[in-house]
Amino acid sequence: MDKIIITATAESIEQVQDLLKIGVDRIYVGDKAFGLRLPKTFSDKDLKKIAQLVHEAGKELTVAVNALMHQGMMDALPEYLDFLEDIGADYITVGDAGVIYICQRDKRPFKLIYDASVMVTSSRQVNFWGKTAGVSEAVLAREIPSAELFKMSENLEIPAEILVYGASVIHHSKRPLLQNYYNFTHIDDEKTRQRDLFLAEPSDKDSHYSIYEDNHGTHIFANNDIDLMTKLSELVEHGYTHWKLDGIYCPGGNFTKIVEKFIKARELIEAGQWTNDRAFLFDEEIRKLHPVNRDLDTGFYDFDPDLVK
């Protein structure tokens, strides 16, 4: 069995320190200009400090450079990549082919993780970026049922990351959709994630699609957040040993405690001591730590592939 790698987002320097102490392998952060859907965006000064803490702990730093690029951003990108090279970023996540091209052209030292969100749905696609662009890993779309995941694992030539806990984005538009709505309805309100806005279907009063707007446009998230604690042994059995935990909607110490549960699960799996009873016990503990206004499920994991179009 390959080593299980756990990546976690961070919302503060203090949380970075806490996550490193409990055994996270990679810290995932980014800035306002080039990183999408982060719990907190950091200044260059803070990113430099985080890189120092991560490397002193013998761990790795992943920086989000996964924005949908326009020409102005591409023009500014080399300077930002210079900075990431200076602080020793180990990985960057990329979704735009132009970023991959620039990294290849300029022979950047960090490894690339292909992250095109909902677009990454086949092993052929992942392998293409691995072969033609030298991408080291890929982030799989969250909408892939387990039956398809297990088939994909037979053909994947580079590691694929699975979101095992956190919110799942279902739509991103560069347009300011919330502001446009406010203009149309003559509403003056906040558009940030902290405002906790959501969309609901008229026919389903319990639906809760979180939505916010920032400098990258409008982001809409799935009705429920993902929790694959009870599926970890299956994932490992099929070679999915790169796990991501995203705290964008689970702030502070509770997120750190949830990450710690997955780290403990990893230890038990690697020791051959993981059981279904332990999985369900850990799952119950995670539900107690999860925000009360958000629901958890396994996403598309148990869906019939024929019903997912």
Side-chain angles (χ1 to χ4, degrees):
M1 180 179 70
D2 292 336
K3 184 181 186 301
I4 298 170
I5 304 296
I6 294 180
T7 298
T9 62
E11 65 179 24
S12 67
I13 290 177
E14 292 74 23
Q15 190 174 58
V16 168
Q17 293 171 316
D18 292 339
L19 291 169
L20 292 171
K21 286 178 183 177
I22 63 176
V24 165
D25 300 289
R26 296 180 189 170
I27 297 294
Y28 185 87
V29 291
D31 78 339
K32 182 177 180 179
F34 295 102
L36 289 182
R37 293 178 289 277
L38 299 163
K40 167 77 180 296
T41 56
F42 291 95
S43 66
D44 286 359
K45 179 181 178 181
D46 285 345
L47 286 174
K48 184 176 182 179
K49 176 62 175 177
I50 289 169
Q52 179 183 352
L53 292 170
V54 170
H55 294 140
E56 285 176 352
K59 306 298 184 179
E60 295 179 309
L61 178 68
T62 301
V63 179
V65 191
N66 57 341
L68 303 179
M69 300 290 174
H70 56 66
Q71 189 57 52
M73 294 171 68
M74 292 300 292
D75 292 341
L77 182 62
E79 183 178 355
Y80 184 59
L81 295 178
D82 285 343
F83 166 73
L84 296 184
E85 190 170 336
D86 287 342
I87 67 173
D90 300 285
Y91 295 84
I92 64 171
T93 57
V94 297
D96 191 299
V99 180
I100 296 175
Y101 167 77
I102 286 179
C103 289
Q104 286 183 315
R105 182 196 67 188
D106 298 343
K107 296 180 173 57
R108 298 290 179 176
F110 23 72
K111 298 176 182 177
L112 305 181
I113 301 175
Y114 183 62
D115 180 10
S117 192
V118 298
M119 306 294 290
V120 188
T121 58
S122 76
S123 57
R124 290 180 64 186
Q125 180 187 11
V126 170
N127 294 341
F128 168 82
W129 288 106
K131 290 177 180 177
T132 63
V135 165
S136 299
E137 302 174 23
V139 177
L140 295 185
R142 318 311 187 191
E143 295 81 6
I144 306 175
S146 59
E148 292 294 333
L149 283 175
F150 299 161
K151 290 179 182 177
M152 287 177 63
S153 68
E154 299 172 1
N155 300 307
L156 286 172
E157 297 173 359
I158 59 176
E161 176 189 281
I162 299 287
L163 182 72
V164 295
Y165 172 82
S168 180
V169 66
I170 59 174
H171 179 76
H172 175 206
S173 172
K174 292 281 280 186
R175 296 185 176 92
L177 301 182
L178 273 173
Q179 186 60 59
N180 291 344
Y181 172 73
Y182 288 164
N183 293 342
F184 181 76
T185 56
H186 306 290
I187 292 174
D188 182 16
D189 202 348
E190 287 290 323
K191 305 183 292 290
T192 63
R193 175 166 48 86
Q194 290 72 22
R195 177 62 177 81
D196 201 24
L197 295 168
F198 67 92
L199 304 174
E201 297 180 30
S203 60
D204 183 3
K205 63 181 179 62
D206 295 324
S207 58
H208 188 293
Y209 301 99
S210 294
I211 180 172
Y212 71 88
E213 186 180 306
D214 62 12
N215 57 302
H216 294 288
T218 309
H219 313 265
I220 304 175
F221 291 80
N223 202 39
N224 296 335
D225 296 342
I226 289 175
D227 169 20
L228 296 184
M229 176 60 76
T230 60
K231 310 296 183 180
L232 296 182
S233 58
E234 293 180 1
L235 290 173
V236 171
E237 181 182 347
H238 289 88
Y240 291 110
T241 55
H242 285 230
W243 303 347
K244 168 82 173 294
L245 292 96
D246 192 327
I248 188 169
Y249 279 109
C250 183
N254 278 18
F255 178 67
T256 304
K257 291 176 183 177
I258 288 172
V259 175
E260 193 168 17
K261 297 297 179 186
F262 280 88
I263 290 173
K264 181 62 176 178
R266 172 179 66 182
E267 293 172 356
L268 292 170
I269 289 172
E270 291 178 339
Q273 299 173 359
W274 187 241
T275 64
N276 287 336
D277 287 343
R278 278 180 163 154
F280 283 104
L281 177 62
F282 280 29
D283 189 69
E284 286 301 311
E285 293 175 353
I286 286 172
R287 291 176 184 276
K288 293 175 184 177
L289 294 164
H290 189 68
V292 295
N293 64 330
R294 304 187 66 83
D295 291 328
L296 281 173
D297 62 23
T298 56
F300 280 67
Y301 191 89
D302 290 322
F303 278 31
D304 182 341
D306 293 333
L307 299 179
V308 179
K309 304 297 182 182

